Amino acid sequence: MNLNVAVIGPSDLVDKVVEVGSVFQELNMIPAPYPHEQDTLEVVARVREQGDILLFTGPIPYQLALDSEPGLPMVHVQYSGTTLYKVLFDFYRTQLLEMDGEIRISVDVLLRHELEEQLDELGLVRRQIYVKPYSAGTGHEDLVAFHYELWSQGLVAATVTCVTSVYQQLVELGVPAFRVVPTQSSIRDVLNRALLEGKSLRLSSTQIAIGILNIDHFERVVKEAASDYEVQRKKIILQQILIDFGEETQSLIKWTDSGEVSFITTRGIIEQATRKFEQAPLLLEVMERLQWKASIGIGLGRTANEA
């Protein structure tokens, strides 16, 4: 079975990733472009059920989604210092910089030490670089202001950004702007990571999951009940809850007279039902509808005994 990869990012980068990914026979590429980074979460909400894994064309939409939906399997294209090579070539091709001149640029998202390494390897020692790495809370306006102020003060001859919307606005402002885009090799790298991540997720999702639901102090609950009819009615309600849960999770369910219920399913299904073990809908429903205190435990393993 192929892995469905939802590709999220600006339309041109999404097309590029989908094109490179077309040679991966085990991957089904699902394009999910957005008009602006601020629309990332809306796109994620739309495609989260379609994709086995979400692939972002850059680190910023990835971080936005990670902060909001930490349980989803996600990867992103790495923007390293090597992506600066093409930008530097564009500098000289457009005659914005001379080969023997000083490089004065502002850069966002990329890390300073990676930039320094690449420039050292190229022998470009005459340079003045201003770097604004991305961090939580950094907005589109912050990045635009960073570049524009440096350029307007004459401190830089050109600006380099990894963010499409920032590039577009800088161009509108008349600022010499260059956009960093991922190389084909970095796209292939992230597609390979997505493939490995997907295989790992599928392997873990087939693990056996065994759950045990226990009505706390069941014997005392029975004794304190107003009547035996009340206990029987609640048992019928409990049985209905378990039937519905079993149907939803395709579980095998075993009920005992001691107030304990066990069920067997797979890890993938139980993770889906509990939103990565962040919620306990079965436990909540039992406690709300029956007014009985209860506890639940779930074990995972490659074998039933291990689980």
Side-chain angles (χ1 to χ4, degrees), residues 58-216:
I60 291 183
Y62 168 81
Q63 194 61 53
L64 290 172
L66 188 65
D67 292 341
S68 178
E69 301 280 358
L72 290 174
M74 296 182 282
V75 294
H76 73 87
V77 181
Q78 298 286 345
Y79 281 18
S80 64
T82 54
T83 57
L84 189 62
Y85 286 146
K86 181 180 181 302
V87 174
L88 289 172
F89 177 77
D90 289 338
F91 283 167
Y92 297 121
R93 185 176 60 181
T94 58
Q95 299 182 337
L96 186 64
L97 296 174
E98 300 295 333
M99 289 298 293
D100 59 349
E102 182 183 35
I103 295 178
R104 293 183 298 114
I105 58 174
S106 59
V107 184
D108 61 39
V109 178
L110 301 179
L111 299 177
R112 175 177 289 277
H113 75 273
E114 291 184 340
L115 294 171
E116 299 282 0
E117 286 177 358
Q118 304 309 318
L119 294 172
D120 286 341
E121 289 184 358
L122 292 171
L124 301 174
V125 294
R126 296 183 59 198
R127 63 198 186 222
Q128 184 62 50
I129 302 177
Y130 301 86
V131 180
K132 186 176 183 61
Y134 177 78
S135 60
T138 301
H140 163 93
E141 296 79 7
D142 299 323
L143 298 179
V144 172
F146 164 73
H147 292 292
Y148 185 76
E149 289 175 9
L150 289 169
W151 177 77
S152 61
Q153 294 171 18
L155 297 176
V156 299
T159 62
V160 180
T161 179
C162 298
V163 185
T164 301
S165 62
V166 173
Y167 167 76
Q168 292 170 341
Q169 188 165 349
L170 288 173
V171 171
E172 291 175 0
L173 292 170
V175 179
F178 292 82
R179 179 182 172 213
V180 176
V181 296
T183 61
Q184 290 198 20
S185 61
S186 62
I187 292 175
R188 281 193 293 269
D189 286 344
V190 75
L191 288 170
N192 280 313
R193 282 192 286 118
L195 187 58
L196 291 174
E197 180 79 10
K199 288 182 177 179
S200 176
L201 287 170
R202 283 184 173 170
L203 183 62
S204 65
S205 69
T206 58
Q207 284 186 319
I208 293 175
I210 295 183
I212 297 177
L213 173 73
N214 183 74
I215 306 300
D216 297 347

Side-chain angles (χ1 to χ4, degrees), residues 11 21 33 46 75 137 145 205 217 240 300:
S11 58
R46 189 174 72 243
V75 294
S205 69
H217 312 295
Q240 185 61 56
L300 309 169

Side-chain angles (χ1 to χ4, degrees), residues 27-78:
L27 300 180
N28 291 329
M29 312 301 292
I30 303 173
Y34 55 62
H36 194 283
E37 291 81 23
Q38 66 186 12
D39 301 314
T40 297
L41 298 183
E42 181 181 335
V43 175
V44 168
R46 189 174 72 243
V47 301
R48 60 174 298 159
E49 301 300 330
Q50 302 174 36
D52 299 310
I53 189 167
L54 305 184
L55 188 157
F56 296 87
T57 61
I60 291 183
Y62 168 81
Q63 194 61 53
L64 290 172
L66 188 65
D67 292 341
S68 178
E69 301 280 358
L72 290 174
M74 296 182 282
V75 294
H76 73 87
V77 181
Q78 298 286 345

